[in-house]
Amino acid sequence: MTSKKKEKYDLILEAALKVFAEHGFHRSQVSKIAKAAGVADGTIYLYFKRKEDILISLFREKLGELVGKFHMHIEQTTGVKEALRKVCEIHYTELENNVDLAFVTQIELRQSSLELRKEIGKAVKPYIELIEKLLERGVEEKLFRADLDVKLTRLLLFGAMDEVVTSWLISGRKYSLSAQVDGTVQFFLQGIQA
């Protein structure tokens, strides 16, 4: 994709994020996305076949960026406990700083069709696998319990962070999401430490 095409693609995704967050996926028309992006309706179809493709691409791009940030920051950590804390910190901070993304990831995902959820699940998979690798490393380094069910724990950790973000949104964002990092990480580490 040329830089000009990539620029327009990104512009459309950012516009879609705002429109989906404001109106909900099902009530958002492609024409609203085009208007928010400042492009003709037909331009959208040069990049995406249908509205569902926009949402899937949005998840792929945004979660890809998030996983990239995780990897970059984890390389700078000194241990697996600090790495898990960094994952939680980035998760909460990024969504606190991008409320539109928080609404779309937390609310719209749950209202999507099974087909759409499967596609979005593929975008989430690298994130879940990253958590799993950190947990496995913790077990190997004897920091976490030897009998730890890594597959279950990765889902519990991801699910807990997910629920904290959802509760923050539902509460009207009356408190700091990023201030919940220490409590979340401490809760899990106490349960899984050797």
Side-chain angles (χ1 to χ4, degrees):
M1 193 180 292
T2 66
S3 64
K4 196 156 183 86
K5 279 190 171 186
K6 175 72 171 133
E7 201 175 294
K8 198 166 276 191
Y9 174 84
D10 291 341
L11 184 69
I12 292 168
L13 287 183
E14 286 303 318
L17 180 61
K18 286 199 165 312
V19 171
F20 292 158
E22 186 178 334
H23 301 285
F25 174 75
H26 295 292
R27 290 187 312 278
S28 296
Q29 293 92 16
V30 169
S31 60
K32 282 183 183 173
I33 296 168
K35 185 177 181 182
V39 300
D41 293 11
T43 303
I44 303 283
Y45 294 106
L46 296 175
Y47 296 87
F48 306 97
K49 290 180 184 172
R50 56 197 180 124
K51 184 172 71 169
E52 288 78 4
D53 294 333
I54 299 171
L55 186 62
I56 292 164
S57 295
L58 192 59
F59 272 91
R60 268 195 211 120
E61 293 286 329
K62 294 300 182 184
L63 290 176
E65 288 171 16
L66 206 56
V67 170
K69 284 182 183 180
F70 293 147
H71 283 291
M72 184 178 72
H73 285 89
I74 285 171
E75 289 172 10
Q76 300 167 5
T77 60
T78 56
V80 72
K81 290 179 185 179
E82 186 185 341
L84 280 173
R85 187 190 188 292
K86 189 51 84 174
V87 166
C88 186
E89 180 184 315
I90 292 169
H91 185 105
Y92 289 173
T93 304
E94 289 292 316
L95 293 177
E96 186 171 41
N97 292 335
N98 190 340
V99 177
D100 288 342
L101 181 61
F103 270 108
V104 172
T105 58
Q106 302 307 122
I107 309 300
E108 292 310 312
L109 178 59
R110 286 151 179 80
Q111 297 176 21
S112 300
S113 68
L114 180 60
E115 174 199 353
L116 210 50
R117 284 197 306 265
K118 281 182 182 178
E119 286 300 315
I120 292 167
K122 290 176 189 174
V124 174
K125 190 175 181 183
Y127 186 8
I128 302 289
E129 288 172 342
L130 171 71
I131 294 171
E132 181 177 346
K133 285 179 182 145
L134 290 173
L135 293 170
E136 286 171 345
R137 197 171 105 201
V139 171
E140 288 167 14
E141 293 174 6
K142 299 189 182 354
L143 296 169
F144 300 156
R145 295 187 347 234
D147 66 342
L148 185 69
D149 184 337
V150 171
K151 298 239 185 259
L152 176 61
T153 306
R154 73 180 185 176
L155 296 175
L156 292 171
L157 180 56
F158 180 81
M161 289 189 296
D162 190 59
E163 182 58 34
V164 170
V165 176
T166 300
S167 296
W168 171 73
L169 286 171
I170 291 170
S171 77
R173 304 184 325 265
K174 293 178 182 168
Y175 53 89
S176 167
L177 180 58
S178 54
Q180 310 310 307
V181 172
D182 289 334
T184 303
V185 174
Q186 186 179 10
F187 174 82
F188 274 94
L189 288 180
Q190 286 181 353
I192 65 176
Q193 287 182 109

